[in-house]
Amino acid sequence: MTSIISVAGLGKTYDSGFTALRDVNLDIKRGEIFALLGPNGAGKTTLISIICGISRQTEGRVTADGFDIVNDYRAARSKIGLVPQELSTDAFESVWATVTFSRGLFGKAPNPEYIEKLLRQLSLWDKKDAQMRELSGGMKRRVMIAKALSHEPEILFLDEPTAGVDVELRRDMWEMMRELREQGVTIILTTHYIEEAEEMADRIGVIRKGQILLVEEKQALMDKLGSKQLTVHLQQTLEAIPSELSEFDLHLEQDGSYLSFSYDSRQDGDSVARLLRKLSELGLEIRDLNSSESSLEEIFVSLVHEEN
Amino acid sequence: MNFYAIRAIYKFEMARTFRTLMQSIASPVLSTSLYFIVFGTAIGSRMGEIDGVSYGAFIIPGLVMLSLLSESISNASFGIFFPKFSGTIYEVLSAPVSPLEIVIGYVGAAATKSVMLGLLILVTARIFVDYTIVHPFWMLGFLLLTAITFSLFGFIIGVWADDFQKLQVIPLMVITPLTFLGGAFYSISMLPEPWQSLTLFNPVVYLINGFRWAFYGIADVNVGVSLGMTLLFLVICLGIISWIFKTGYRIRS
């Protein structure tokens, strides 16, 4: 797959001196759902704001569908739809008027049939004449999505789409994202819900303190979920790991009486048995055993808190 | 040119005008009527003619200008300030629109509203006093030019203001005094020196003067100078706006 968004060496320092992004490099593939994970204040919204034209970068370059977002901003922006985190709406506008406004703003000829289809798809049709202020939070968010899709974009940014949204609506949103992807729309969503990334994403990027820490296929990350850890508490303490055990991925912990062993339960199914056999051959007696597996959440948390 | 975008912004702003019809149209008409009753009919009947024009008729161009200036500024400033305040500006910033298109949309709508209002005031004035318009073409020209210029100025204020107080301070503290002192209710030749010379530093003098000339063919200062000063202010406003978009000042962080 070719990349539809390409971010190269992107940096953002605000006038206040705060650096929100540093040397961000990222490629979004055409047609994928990409989840950008990161704690609050990591730079997710800043990154999206720059790509969508709301903020300016201090350095680096971004292209959307091959068009530079600064020099070719018209072509670039017309490809992109954005659903921001905040529910900013014009309280007195009707649903129909505000969605129609968005389409015009993005330079598309009026197309009432398309707007109708969109509103029906998002279960907003019976609210088309309602003023925005009359709508519930969930409906407002759906209107924001309708606005973002009103000009038939190829790329859709969803900034924290399910923050403060109830479980049912979250399921609906996920369903809608899948449908959009079927239609060929590339979706970039930011979230700090791991569950959402696990559920939706093809690839996951983790951002912290304005830097991309990793970008991986979700499946590859999930494979790390297969990695398990066995902690062996020994009767005696060891100075070093005996050379006979070198074939295993072992670490000595605490006072030397704990051996921690990382393994992949699916790849080498008998490694635990082999290790335990080796230990007993070496005359090392076992006091206790504990096994655990790392979740995506743990991977994420450890990445995000590294160096902190 | 993204004409659909210009139309979208323009329609959006005009819809806002018609939604708040009472506030947008009725209240300036009412307050202008009050001016006519007080200054035109009550006080005016005791005043002599100025340059052969009755006092009631003399103040009409000034009153129209007074409303035109304050309405242009408040319409245009609110039009851009409110999306900034409510956060809906994100959509305009992320849309494939150029600064020029944004300005045409917002300022065009604000100026349209002001011109409509100015004409409405002229119609209202007719109820109170008889007046003639010697140069109707120039009258419309000055009306349009002033509406556009001060809507541009209002746009600048709307971008600059980061709270409601700042939004009000320039129209209230600067424009209203300048208009009152700019010869809306008197001919500047009635002023003693040094006030007469000092008044020439008030840009509003030129606006009112040119406008009044279009009505009655009388002027305190040369009409060419009036037109030049108005155009100069227009160019200054355009310059500031292009600087705003170039630097992203208070719009694009």
Short mmCIF file of all heavy atoms in Angstrom, two decimals, chain A residues 12 14 52-56 73-74 77-78 82 84 88-90 92-93 98 101-102 104-110 131 144 147, chain B residues 1-2 4-5 7-9 12 15 19 86-88 90-99 101 245-248 251-253:
data_model
loop_
_atom_site.label_atom_id
_atom_site.label_comp_id
_atom_site.label_asym_id
_atom_site.label_seq_id
_atom_site.Cartn_x
_atom_site.Cartn_y
_atom_site.Cartn_z
N LYS A 12 7.20 21.31 16.20
CA LYS A 12 6.35 22.44 16.54
C LYS A 12 6.76 23.01 17.88
O LYS A 12 6.73 22.32 18.90
CB LYS A 12 4.88 22.00 16.61
CG LYS A 12 3.93 23.06 17.13
CD LYS A 12 3.75 24.20 16.15
CE LYS A 12 2.82 25.28 16.69
NZ LYS A 12 2.73 26.43 15.79
N TYR A 14 5.80 26.28 20.20
CA TYR A 14 4.88 27.41 20.33
C TYR A 14 5.65 28.68 20.71
O TYR A 14 6.79 28.61 21.15
CB TYR A 14 3.81 27.12 21.38
CG TYR A 14 2.75 26.16 20.88
CD1 TYR A 14 2.80 24.81 21.20
CD2 TYR A 14 1.72 26.60 20.06
CE1 TYR A 14 1.85 23.92 20.73
CE2 TYR A 14 0.76 25.73 19.58
CZ TYR A 14 0.83 24.39 19.92
OH TYR A 14 -0.12 23.52 19.44
N CYS A 52 -4.07 19.23 9.50
CA CYS A 52 -5.34 19.77 8.99
C CYS A 52 -5.29 21.27 8.71
O CYS A 52 -6.26 21.82 8.20
CB CYS A 52 -6.46 19.47 9.98
SG CYS A 52 -6.79 17.72 10.13
N GLY A 53 -4.22 21.93 9.07
CA GLY A 53 -4.09 23.35 8.73
C GLY A 53 -4.50 24.32 9.82
O GLY A 53 -4.55 25.52 9.60
N ILE A 54 -4.79 23.80 11.01
CA ILE A 54 -5.23 24.69 12.09
C ILE A 54 -4.03 25.33 12.78
O ILE A 54 -4.09 26.45 13.24
CB ILE A 54 -6.10 23.90 13.08
CG1 ILE A 54 -7.37 23.42 12.36
CG2 ILE A 54 -6.48 24.75 14.29
CD1 ILE A 54 -8.15 22.41 13.13
N SER A 55 -2.94 24.58 12.86
CA SER A 55 -1.69 25.12 13.40
C SER A 55 -0.63 25.09 12.30
O SER A 55 -0.78 24.38 11.32
CB SER A 55 -1.20 24.26 14.56
OG SER A 55 -1.94 24.50 15.71
N ARG A 56 0.42 25.86 12.55
CA ARG A 56 1.52 25.84 11.58
C ARG A 56 2.69 25.10 12.19
O ARG A 56 2.97 25.26 13.38
CB ARG A 56 1.99 27.27 11.29
CG ARG A 56 0.93 28.13 10.69
CD ARG A 56 1.39 29.58 10.78
NE ARG A 56 0.42 30.43 10.12
CZ ARG A 56 0.74 31.40 9.27
NH1 ARG A 56 2.00 31.66 9.02
NH2 ARG A 56 -0.19 32.13 8.71
N TYR A 73 -2.12 23.85 -0.16
CA TYR A 73 -3.08 23.62 0.92
C TYR A 73 -4.50 23.36 0.42
O TYR A 73 -5.24 22.61 1.04
CB TYR A 73 -3.08 24.77 1.93
CG TYR A 73 -3.66 26.06 1.41
CD1 TYR A 73 -5.00 26.37 1.62
CD2 TYR A 73 -2.88 26.96 0.71
CE1 TYR A 73 -5.54 27.56 1.14
CE2 TYR A 73 -3.40 28.14 0.23
CZ TYR A 73 -4.74 28.44 0.44
OH TYR A 73 -5.28 29.60 -0.03
N ARG A 74 -4.84 23.94 -0.71
CA ARG A 74 -6.21 23.72 -1.20
C ARG A 74 -6.44 22.26 -1.55
O ARG A 74 -7.41 21.64 -1.11
CB ARG A 74 -6.47 24.57 -2.44
CG ARG A 74 -6.88 25.97 -2.14
CD ARG A 74 -7.31 26.61 -3.45
NE ARG A 74 -7.20 28.04 -3.40
CZ ARG A 74 -8.17 28.85 -2.98
NH1 ARG A 74 -9.30 28.34 -2.57
NH2 ARG A 74 -7.99 30.15 -2.98
N ARG A 77 -6.07 20.05 1.77
CA ARG A 77 -7.17 20.13 2.74
C ARG A 77 -8.48 19.58 2.21
O ARG A 77 -9.31 19.11 2.98
CB ARG A 77 -7.37 21.58 3.17
CG ARG A 77 -6.25 22.08 4.07
CD ARG A 77 -6.57 23.49 4.52
NE ARG A 77 -5.37 24.18 4.97
CZ ARG A 77 -5.33 25.48 5.20
NH1 ARG A 77 -6.41 26.23 5.01
NH2 ARG A 77 -4.21 26.05 5.61
N SER A 78 -8.67 19.67 0.89
CA SER A 78 -9.95 19.19 0.37
C SER A 78 -10.03 17.66 0.46
O SER A 78 -11.10 17.09 0.33
CB SER A 78 -10.17 19.66 -1.07
OG SER A 78 -9.16 19.15 -1.89
N LEU A 82 -12.08 16.50 9.31
CA LEU A 82 -11.61 16.48 10.70
C LEU A 82 -12.78 16.52 11.67
O LEU A 82 -13.67 17.36 11.57
CB LEU A 82 -10.71 17.70 10.94
CG LEU A 82 -10.41 18.06 12.40
CD1 LEU A 82 -9.58 16.98 13.08
CD2 LEU A 82 -9.71 19.41 12.50
N PRO A 84 -12.97 17.24 15.43
CA PRO A 84 -12.12 17.62 16.55
C PRO A 84 -12.63 17.03 17.86
O PRO A 84 -13.75 16.54 17.95
CB PRO A 84 -12.21 19.14 16.57
CG PRO A 84 -13.52 19.44 15.96
CD PRO A 84 -13.82 18.34 15.00
N SER A 88 -17.41 21.72 19.27
CA SER A 88 -17.65 23.13 18.98
C SER A 88 -18.69 23.23 17.88
O SER A 88 -18.43 22.85 16.75
CB SER A 88 -16.37 23.81 18.50
OG SER A 88 -15.29 23.42 19.29
N THR A 89 -19.86 23.72 18.23
CA THR A 89 -20.90 23.84 17.21
C THR A 89 -21.58 25.20 17.31
O THR A 89 -21.49 25.87 18.32
CB THR A 89 -21.98 22.76 17.41
OG1 THR A 89 -22.50 22.88 18.73
CG2 THR A 89 -21.41 21.37 17.23
N ASP A 90 -22.25 25.55 16.23
CA ASP A 90 -23.01 26.80 16.23
C ASP A 90 -24.40 26.50 16.80
O ASP A 90 -25.23 25.91 16.14
CB ASP A 90 -23.12 27.33 14.81
CG ASP A 90 -21.78 27.75 14.28
OD1 ASP A 90 -21.22 28.71 14.83
OD2 ASP A 90 -21.27 27.11 13.35
N PHE A 92 -27.18 27.85 17.24
CA PHE A 92 -28.48 28.23 16.67
C PHE A 92 -28.68 27.74 15.24
O PHE A 92 -29.72 27.93 14.65
CB PHE A 92 -28.67 29.75 16.74
CG PHE A 92 -28.66 30.25 18.16
CD1 PHE A 92 -27.52 30.82 18.69
CD2 PHE A 92 -29.78 30.11 18.96
CE1 PHE A 92 -27.50 31.26 20.01
CE2 PHE A 92 -29.76 30.54 20.27
CZ PHE A 92 -28.62 31.11 20.79
N GLU A 93 -27.65 27.10 14.70
CA GLU A 93 -27.77 26.57 13.35
C GLU A 93 -28.54 25.25 13.38
O GLU A 93 -28.45 24.49 14.34
CB GLU A 93 -26.38 26.30 12.78
CG GLU A 93 -25.65 27.55 12.37
CD GLU A 93 -26.11 28.07 11.04
OE1 GLU A 93 -25.85 27.43 10.01
OE2 GLU A 93 -26.76 29.14 11.02
N THR A 98 -25.83 23.39 9.04
CA THR A 98 -24.41 23.35 9.42
C THR A 98 -23.65 22.33 8.57
O THR A 98 -22.50 22.55 8.21
CB THR A 98 -24.24 23.11 10.94
OG1 THR A 98 -22.92 23.45 11.31
CG2 THR A 98 -24.51 21.68 11.35
N PHE A 101 -23.27 23.89 5.16
CA PHE A 101 -22.23 24.92 5.27
C PHE A 101 -20.85 24.28 5.09
O PHE A 101 -20.01 24.77 4.33
CB PHE A 101 -22.33 25.60 6.63
CG PHE A 101 -21.15 26.46 7.00
CD1 PHE A 101 -21.00 27.73 6.47
CD2 PHE A 101 -20.19 26.00 7.89
CE1 PHE A 101 -19.91 28.52 6.81
CE2 PHE A 101 -19.10 26.77 8.23
CZ PHE A 101 -18.96 28.04 7.69
N SER A 102 -20.63 23.18 5.80
CA SER A 102 -19.31 22.53 5.74
C SER A 102 -18.97 22.10 4.32
O SER A 102 -17.84 22.26 3.86
CB SER A 102 -19.29 21.29 6.64
OG SER A 102 -19.55 21.65 7.96
N GLY A 104 -20.00 23.37 1.51
CA GLY A 104 -19.67 24.55 0.72
C GLY A 104 -18.29 25.09 1.07
O GLY A 104 -17.50 25.43 0.18
N LEU A 105 -18.00 25.12 2.36
CA LEU A 105 -16.72 25.64 2.83
C LEU A 105 -15.56 24.87 2.21
O LEU A 105 -14.51 25.44 1.91
CB LEU A 105 -16.66 25.52 4.36
CG LEU A 105 -15.62 26.33 5.09
CD1 LEU A 105 -15.79 27.80 4.84
CD2 LEU A 105 -15.68 26.03 6.58
N PHE A 106 -15.77 23.59 2.00
CA PHE A 106 -14.72 22.77 1.42
C PHE A 106 -14.76 22.76 -0.11
O PHE A 106 -14.10 21.94 -0.76
CB PHE A 106 -14.75 21.35 2.00
CG PHE A 106 -14.04 21.28 3.33
CD1 PHE A 106 -14.66 21.76 4.48
CD2 PHE A 106 -12.76 20.78 3.43
CE1 PHE A 106 -14.00 21.74 5.70
CE2 PHE A 106 -12.10 20.76 4.66
CZ PHE A 106 -12.72 21.23 5.78
N GLY A 107 -15.56 23.69 -0.66
CA GLY A 107 -15.48 23.92 -2.10
C GLY A 107 -16.24 22.93 -2.96
O GLY A 107 -15.96 22.79 -4.14
N LYS A 108 -17.19 22.24 -2.36
CA LYS A 108 -17.97 21.27 -3.14
C LYS A 108 -19.32 21.86 -3.53
O LYS A 108 -19.95 22.55 -2.72
CB LYS A 108 -18.20 20.01 -2.32
CG LYS A 108 -16.95 19.15 -2.21
CD LYS A 108 -16.89 18.18 -3.37
CE LYS A 108 -15.63 17.34 -3.29
NZ LYS A 108 -15.84 15.97 -3.69
N ALA A 109 -19.76 21.54 -4.74
CA ALA A 109 -21.07 22.00 -5.20
C ALA A 109 -22.15 21.36 -4.32
O ALA A 109 -21.96 20.25 -3.82
CB ALA A 109 -21.29 21.58 -6.65
N PRO A 110 -23.25 22.09 -4.10
CA PRO A 110 -24.31 21.54 -3.25
C PRO A 110 -24.78 20.18 -3.76
O PRO A 110 -24.82 19.95 -4.97
CB PRO A 110 -25.43 22.58 -3.37
CG PRO A 110 -24.76 23.82 -3.82
CD PRO A 110 -23.58 23.40 -4.63
N GLN A 131 -32.15 22.62 15.98
CA GLN A 131 -30.98 23.47 16.23
C GLN A 131 -29.95 22.66 17.02
O GLN A 131 -30.31 21.80 17.82
CB GLN A 131 -31.38 24.70 17.03
CG GLN A 131 -32.15 25.70 16.19
CD GLN A 131 -32.32 27.04 16.89
OE1 GLN A 131 -32.19 27.12 18.12
NE2 GLN A 131 -32.61 28.07 16.14
N MET A 144 -20.88 16.41 14.08
CA MET A 144 -19.49 16.78 13.76
C MET A 144 -18.92 15.82 12.73
O MET A 144 -18.16 16.22 11.84
CB MET A 144 -18.61 16.71 15.02
CG MET A 144 -19.09 17.54 16.18
SD MET A 144 -18.88 19.29 15.93
CE MET A 144 -17.16 19.46 16.31
N LYS A 147 -20.40 16.67 9.40
CA LYS A 147 -19.74 17.85 8.85
C LYS A 147 -18.40 17.47 8.22
O LYS A 147 -18.06 17.91 7.13
CB LYS A 147 -19.51 18.90 9.95
CG LYS A 147 -20.76 19.71 10.30
CD LYS A 147 -20.60 20.45 11.62
CE LYS A 147 -19.77 21.71 11.52
NZ LYS A 147 -20.41 22.79 10.77
N MET B 1 -10.32 30.36 -7.12
CA MET B 1 -11.26 30.90 -6.13
C MET B 1 -12.24 29.83 -5.68
O MET B 1 -12.85 29.16 -6.51
CB MET B 1 -12.08 32.05 -6.76
CG MET B 1 -11.60 33.46 -6.48
SD MET B 1 -11.22 33.88 -4.80
CE MET B 1 -11.66 35.58 -4.73
N ASN B 2 -12.39 29.68 -4.39
CA ASN B 2 -13.35 28.73 -3.84
C ASN B 2 -14.68 29.49 -3.60
O ASN B 2 -14.98 29.94 -2.50
CB ASN B 2 -12.79 28.15 -2.53
CG ASN B 2 -13.69 27.10 -1.94
OD1 ASN B 2 -14.84 26.93 -2.36
ND2 ASN B 2 -13.17 26.39 -0.97
N TYR B 4 -17.71 28.46 -3.65
CA TYR B 4 -18.68 27.79 -2.77
C TYR B 4 -18.41 28.15 -1.31
O TYR B 4 -19.33 28.29 -0.51
CB TYR B 4 -18.60 26.28 -2.96
CG TYR B 4 -19.15 25.81 -4.28
CD1 TYR B 4 -18.35 25.13 -5.19
CD2 TYR B 4 -20.49 26.05 -4.61
CE1 TYR B 4 -18.87 24.70 -6.41
CE2 TYR B 4 -21.01 25.62 -5.83
CZ TYR B 4 -20.20 24.95 -6.72
OH TYR B 4 -20.69 24.53 -7.93
N ALA B 5 -17.13 28.30 -0.99
CA ALA B 5 -16.77 28.63 0.39
C ALA B 5 -17.19 30.06 0.73
O ALA B 5 -17.74 30.33 1.80
CB ALA B 5 -15.27 28.45 0.61
N ARG B 7 -19.56 31.70 -0.63
CA ARG B 7 -21.01 31.70 -0.51
C ARG B 7 -21.45 31.09 0.81
O ARG B 7 -22.37 31.59 1.46
CB ARG B 7 -21.63 30.93 -1.68
CG ARG B 7 -23.12 31.14 -1.78
CD ARG B 7 -23.70 30.52 -3.01
NE ARG B 7 -23.68 29.07 -2.92
CZ ARG B 7 -24.25 28.27 -3.81
NH1 ARG B 7 -24.87 28.79 -4.85
NH2 ARG B 7 -24.21 26.97 -3.69
N ALA B 8 -20.77 30.01 1.23
CA ALA B 8 -21.14 29.34 2.48
C ALA B 8 -20.97 30.30 3.67
O ALA B 8 -21.87 30.43 4.51
CB ALA B 8 -20.30 28.09 2.68
N ILE B 9 -19.82 30.98 3.73
CA ILE B 9 -19.57 31.90 4.84
C ILE B 9 -20.57 33.07 4.79
O ILE B 9 -21.16 33.45 5.79
CB ILE B 9 -18.12 32.44 4.80
CG1 ILE B 9 -17.12 31.30 5.01
CG2 ILE B 9 -17.91 33.52 5.87
CD1 ILE B 9 -15.67 31.69 4.86
N PHE B 12 -24.00 31.94 5.77
CA PHE B 12 -24.01 31.66 7.21
C PHE B 12 -24.16 32.96 8.00
O PHE B 12 -24.96 33.07 8.92
CB PHE B 12 -22.70 30.96 7.59
CG PHE B 12 -22.55 30.71 9.06
CD1 PHE B 12 -23.06 29.57 9.65
CD2 PHE B 12 -21.89 31.63 9.87
CE1 PHE B 12 -22.93 29.34 11.00
CE2 PHE B 12 -21.75 31.42 11.23
CZ PHE B 12 -22.27 30.27 11.79
N ALA B 15 -27.55 34.58 7.50
CA ALA B 15 -28.57 33.84 8.26
C ALA B 15 -28.56 34.30 9.71
O ALA B 15 -29.60 34.46 10.35
CB ALA B 15 -28.31 32.34 8.18
N ARG B 19 -31.60 35.92 11.72
CA ARG B 19 -32.05 35.24 12.92
C ARG B 19 -32.20 36.24 14.07
O ARG B 19 -33.05 36.10 14.93
CB ARG B 19 -31.03 34.16 13.30
CG ARG B 19 -31.68 32.90 13.77
CD ARG B 19 -30.71 31.76 13.92
NE ARG B 19 -29.33 32.08 14.10
CZ ARG B 19 -28.35 31.56 13.37
NH1 ARG B 19 -28.60 30.72 12.43
NH2 ARG B 19 -27.10 31.89 13.62
N SER B 86 -16.13 30.32 20.29
CA SER B 86 -16.84 29.05 20.46
C SER B 86 -16.02 27.86 19.97
O SER B 86 -16.35 26.73 20.27
CB SER B 86 -18.17 29.09 19.71
OG SER B 86 -17.93 29.09 18.32
N GLY B 87 -14.97 28.13 19.22
CA GLY B 87 -14.12 27.04 18.74
C GLY B 87 -14.47 26.56 17.34
O GLY B 87 -13.76 25.74 16.77
N THR B 88 -15.58 27.06 16.79
CA THR B 88 -15.98 26.57 15.47
C THR B 88 -15.06 27.09 14.36
O THR B 88 -15.14 26.63 13.22
CB THR B 88 -17.42 26.98 15.12
OG1 THR B 88 -17.54 28.39 15.26
CG2 THR B 88 -18.41 26.32 16.05
N TYR B 90 -12.21 26.28 13.88
CA TYR B 90 -11.38 25.15 13.41
C TYR B 90 -11.75 24.76 11.97
O TYR B 90 -10.90 24.40 11.17
CB TYR B 90 -11.52 23.94 14.35
CG TYR B 90 -12.70 23.04 14.02
CD1 TYR B 90 -12.60 22.01 13.08
CD2 TYR B 90 -13.94 23.23 14.63
CE1 TYR B 90 -13.69 21.20 12.76
CE2 TYR B 90 -15.03 22.44 14.32
CZ TYR B 90 -14.90 21.42 13.38
OH TYR B 90 -15.98 20.66 13.06
N GLU B 91 -13.06 24.84 11.69
CA GLU B 91 -13.52 24.36 10.40
C GLU B 91 -13.07 25.28 9.26
O GLU B 91 -12.65 24.81 8.22
CB GLU B 91 -15.05 24.26 10.42
CG GLU B 91 -15.52 23.25 9.41
CD GLU B 91 -17.00 23.05 9.43
OE1 GLU B 91 -17.72 23.83 10.08
OE2 GLU B 91 -17.44 22.11 8.77
N VAL B 92 -13.14 26.58 9.51
CA VAL B 92 -12.69 27.53 8.50
C VAL B 92 -11.18 27.39 8.28
O VAL B 92 -10.69 27.42 7.16
CB VAL B 92 -13.05 28.97 8.93
CG1 VAL B 92 -12.49 29.98 7.94
CG2 VAL B 92 -14.57 29.12 9.04
N LEU B 93 -10.46 27.19 9.39
CA LEU B 93 -9.00 27.08 9.29
C LEU B 93 -8.57 25.81 8.57
O LEU B 93 -7.53 25.77 7.92
CB LEU B 93 -8.36 27.11 10.68
CG LEU B 93 -8.53 28.41 11.46
CD1 LEU B 93 -7.87 28.29 12.82
CD2 LEU B 93 -7.95 29.57 10.70
N SER B 94 -9.37 24.75 8.69
CA SER B 94 -8.98 23.48 8.09
C SER B 94 -9.55 23.33 6.67
O SER B 94 -9.33 22.31 6.03
CB SER B 94 -9.42 22.31 8.97
OG SER B 94 -10.83 22.23 9.01
N ALA B 95 -10.31 24.33 6.25
CA ALA B 95 -10.94 24.24 4.92
C ALA B 95 -10.00 24.78 3.84
O ALA B 95 -9.13 25.60 4.12
CB ALA B 95 -12.24 25.03 4.92
N PRO B 96 -10.19 24.33 2.62
CA PRO B 96 -9.35 24.82 1.52
C PRO B 96 -9.78 26.22 1.07
O PRO B 96 -10.22 26.41 -0.05
CB PRO B 96 -9.57 23.78 0.41
CG PRO B 96 -10.91 23.20 0.69
CD PRO B 96 -11.12 23.27 2.17
N VAL B 97 -9.67 27.17 1.97
CA VAL B 97 -10.04 28.55 1.63
C VAL B 97 -8.83 29.45 1.85
O VAL B 97 -8.05 29.25 2.77
CB VAL B 97 -11.22 29.08 2.48
CG1 VAL B 97 -12.51 28.40 2.09
CG2 VAL B 97 -10.97 28.92 3.96
N SER B 98 -8.71 30.46 1.00
CA SER B 98 -7.61 31.41 1.14
C SER B 98 -8.06 32.52 2.08
O SER B 98 -9.25 32.72 2.28
CB SER B 98 -7.25 31.98 -0.22
OG SER B 98 -8.29 32.83 -0.66
N PRO B 99 -7.10 33.26 2.66
CA PRO B 99 -7.46 34.39 3.51
C PRO B 99 -8.41 35.36 2.80
O PRO B 99 -9.37 35.84 3.39
CB PRO B 99 -6.11 35.06 3.79
CG PRO B 99 -5.12 33.95 3.69
CD PRO B 99 -5.65 33.02 2.64
N GLU B 101 -10.62 34.75 0.55
CA GLU B 101 -11.98 34.21 0.51
C GLU B 101 -12.67 34.33 1.87
O GLU B 101 -13.86 34.63 1.95
CB GLU B 101 -11.95 32.75 0.05
CG GLU B 101 -11.59 32.61 -1.42
CD GLU B 101 -10.88 31.31 -1.76
OE1 GLU B 101 -10.73 30.44 -0.88
OE2 GLU B 101 -10.46 31.17 -2.91
N PHE B 245 -2.96 37.31 8.43
CA PHE B 245 -2.97 35.96 7.87
C PHE B 245 -1.56 35.46 7.60
O PHE B 245 -1.29 34.26 7.66
CB PHE B 245 -3.82 35.91 6.60
CG PHE B 245 -5.28 35.84 6.89
CD1 PHE B 245 -6.10 36.94 6.76
CD2 PHE B 245 -5.83 34.65 7.35
CE1 PHE B 245 -7.46 36.86 7.05
CE2 PHE B 245 -7.18 34.56 7.66
CZ PHE B 245 -7.99 35.67 7.50
N LYS B 246 -0.65 36.38 7.31
CA LYS B 246 0.72 35.96 7.06
C LYS B 246 1.36 35.42 8.34
O LYS B 246 2.06 34.43 8.34
CB LYS B 246 1.53 37.15 6.52
CG LYS B 246 2.73 36.73 5.69
CD LYS B 246 3.30 37.90 4.92
CE LYS B 246 2.56 38.17 3.63
NZ LYS B 246 2.99 39.39 2.94
N THR B 247 1.07 36.09 9.46
CA THR B 247 1.70 35.67 10.71
C THR B 247 0.82 34.70 11.49
O THR B 247 1.27 34.09 12.45
CB THR B 247 1.97 36.88 11.61
OG1 THR B 247 0.71 37.53 11.86
CG2 THR B 247 2.91 37.86 10.96
N GLY B 248 -0.43 34.58 11.09
CA GLY B 248 -1.35 33.72 11.84
C GLY B 248 -1.83 34.36 13.12
O GLY B 248 -2.45 33.70 13.95
N ILE B 251 -5.07 33.79 15.14
CA ILE B 251 -6.00 32.94 14.40
C ILE B 251 -5.42 31.54 14.30
O ILE B 251 -6.04 30.57 14.70
CB ILE B 251 -6.25 33.49 12.97
CG1 ILE B 251 -7.13 34.72 13.04
CG2 ILE B 251 -6.90 32.42 12.14
CD1 ILE B 251 -7.74 35.08 11.72
N ARG B 252 -4.20 31.46 13.77
CA ARG B 252 -3.60 30.15 13.53
C ARG B 252 -2.33 30.07 14.36
O ARG B 252 -1.38 30.77 14.08
CB ARG B 252 -3.31 30.03 12.03
CG ARG B 252 -2.99 28.65 11.59
CD ARG B 252 -2.93 28.57 10.07
NE ARG B 252 -4.19 28.10 9.52
CZ ARG B 252 -4.77 28.61 8.46
NH1 ARG B 252 -4.25 29.63 7.85
NH2 ARG B 252 -5.89 28.10 8.01
N SER B 253 -2.35 29.25 15.40
CA SER B 253 -1.21 29.20 16.32
C SER B 253 0.01 28.57 15.66
O SER B 253 -0.13 27.75 14.78
CB SER B 253 -1.58 28.39 17.56
OG SER B 253 -1.99 27.10 17.20
#
